Amino acid sequence: MLKRELIRHSCYKLMFYLGILDCLSIVTSCLVTGYLAIDGRFPCPHYRDFEYVLTTFACGIWCSVCVTCIILAFNRCIDLWRNKHLLALFYHHRTYYWIGLCVLYLTLVTIYVKGLFFSPVAYAWFFDPFFGMTNLDVDRTEFFSVVHSVNNIGVIVVLSLLNTFLVASIYWKTRKSNSNYLSLIQRRVCSELVPIHNVNFRSQLKLSLFAPLTSLLLLSTCTCSSSLLQRF
């Protein structure tokens, strides 16, 4: 990805930033989670502050990943239609401005989002520190995170629209020009973006607890895009 002929493209700069975020998220999603799962403790003063601070940063990373995926999808739509005014938005160093916005979003979410707590009952992270303790009389609505929920629902809507437009654009371009319209680099990038957006979509839907119909539509979109890319 860092090869000169690849990194000069704006999409690879964005994907490299995504890779950095994924590496950072491993600390929370794998290392810390694994240790707490083995330890098996409920949230207590010994871990509470550590978990809270760490997971606010983890939420910031997650939200930054979501926004970067949106920008990446927008970038692919622009590249397919080759509008010179829109292409100027990602011209050379301007891509780093977009990455800077993603970093700013990460920082703001980290500051304002609520932290999560690890539950040995479900071996997962929850905003509710009393998850699994059904015998406690606690107002659980106060643990609801507006920032996290708005991010997830908003990203689902925007990514759905962008990816639908992207798939339709690929279909129209290849249908019109006998599949020779797209360059080799465009085909390569699109084929790499399909699994990225697929994973992000599925994660968003699971977190937001959307209806099965939405999952079916998502799966259909991803399958359709994959089949189109196979034509290249």
Side-chain angles (χ1 to χ4, degrees), residues 167-187:
V167 171
S169 298
I170 293 174
Y171 173 76
W172 177 257
K173 293 291 186 180
T174 55
R175 175 177 175 271
K176 186 177 180 180
S177 304
N178 297 322
S179 300
N180 294 321
Y181 181 86
L182 300 182
S183 65
L184 177 61
I185 192 67
Q186 286 177 320
R187 299 174 193 177

Side-chain angles (χ1 to χ4, degrees), residues 108-162:
L108 292 175
V109 171
T110 301
I111 294 173
Y112 292 106
V113 76
K114 294 181 178 180
L116 294 90
F117 299 93
F118 182 79
S119 171
V121 175
Y123 294 99
W125 298 87
F126 299 92
F127 289 104
D128 182 1
F130 304 105
F131 178 84
M133 305 178 189
T134 56
N135 58 332
L136 296 179
D137 184 17
V138 180
D139 182 13
R140 300 179 187 274
T141 58
E142 64 179 274
F143 303 119
F144 178 76
S145 176
V146 176
V147 175
H148 188 261
S149 299
V150 169
N151 173 85
N152 291 343
I153 295 174
V155 170
I156 289 174
V157 174
V158 177
L159 267 184
S160 297
L161 295 174
L162 285 174

Side-chain angles (χ1 to χ4, degrees), residues 45-63:
H46 184 66
Y47 289 116
R48 185 177 57 197
D49 294 339
F50 168 74
E51 290 183 15
Y52 194 90
V53 173
L54 179 66
T55 53
T56 54
F57 180 62
C59 282
I61 292 176
W62 166 249
C63 292

Side-chain angles (χ1 to χ4, degrees), residues 1-212:
M1 184 178 290
L2 290 179
K3 293 181 179 179
R4 185 179 181 85
E5 64 271 18
L6 297 179
I7 199 63
R8 65 187 180 89
H9 295 281
S10 56
C11 57
Y12 278 98
K13 293 184 178 73
L14 292 168
M15 284 192 282
F16 180 71
Y17 173 68
L18 277 176
I20 294 175
L21 294 180
D22 287 338
C23 291
L24 291 175
S25 67
I26 290 176
V27 176
T28 304
S29 60
C30 296
L31 301 180
V32 177
T33 301
Y35 172 77
L36 293 177
I38 295 173
D39 190 64
R41 295 189 189 183
F42 282 91
C44 61
H46 184 66
Y47 289 116
R48 185 177 57 197
D49 294 339
F50 168 74
E51 290 183 15
Y52 194 90
V53 173
L54 179 66
T55 53
T56 54
F57 180 62
C59 282
I61 292 176
W62 166 249
C63 292
S64 185
V65 166
C66 295
V67 172
T68 307
C69 284
I70 289 178
I71 296 174
L72 198 53
F74 178 58
N75 175 270
R76 290 300 83 213
C77 293
I78 291 175
D79 187 63
L80 281 175
W81 287 97
R82 310 300 298 175
N83 182 286
K84 63 179 182 179
H85 300 293
L86 293 178
L87 283 172
L89 295 174
F90 293 92
Y91 184 72
H92 286 310
H93 63 279
R94 293 178 184 175
T95 305
Y96 296 110
Y97 296 155
W98 291 95
I99 295 176
L101 289 176
C102 296
V103 174
L104 177 62
Y105 186 58
L106 185 156
T107 305
L108 292 175
V109 171
T110 301
I111 294 173
Y112 292 106
V113 76
K114 294 181 178 180
L116 294 90
F117 299 93
F118 182 79
S119 171
V121 175
Y123 294 99
W125 298 87
F126 299 92
F127 289 104
D128 182 1
F130 304 105
F131 178 84
M133 305 178 189
T134 56
N135 58 332
L136 296 179
D137 184 17
V138 180
D139 182 13
R140 300 179 187 274
T141 58
E142 64 179 274
F143 303 119
F144 178 76
S145 176
V146 176
V147 175
H148 188 261
S149 299
V150 169
N151 173 85
N152 291 343
I153 295 174
V155 170
I156 289 174
V157 174
V158 177
L159 267 184
S160 297
L161 295 174
L162 285 174
N163 279 294
T164 300
F165 179 77
L166 181 61
V167 171
S169 298
I170 293 174
Y171 173 76
W172 177 257
K173 293 291 186 180
T174 55
R175 175 177 175 271
K176 186 177 180 180
S177 304
N178 297 322
S179 300
N180 294 321
Y181 181 86
L182 300 182
S183 65
L184 177 61
I185 192 67
Q186 286 177 320
R187 299 174 193 177
R188 180 174 180 178
V189 169
C190 288
S191 63
E192 291 171 351
L193 291 184
V194 167
I196 291 176
H197 291 314
N198 193 351
V199 171
N200 187 266
F201 262 142
R202 291 173 184 269
S203 301
Q204 293 286 357
L205 288 171
K206 289 179 181 179
L207 287 172
S208 301
L209 299 178
F210 264 47

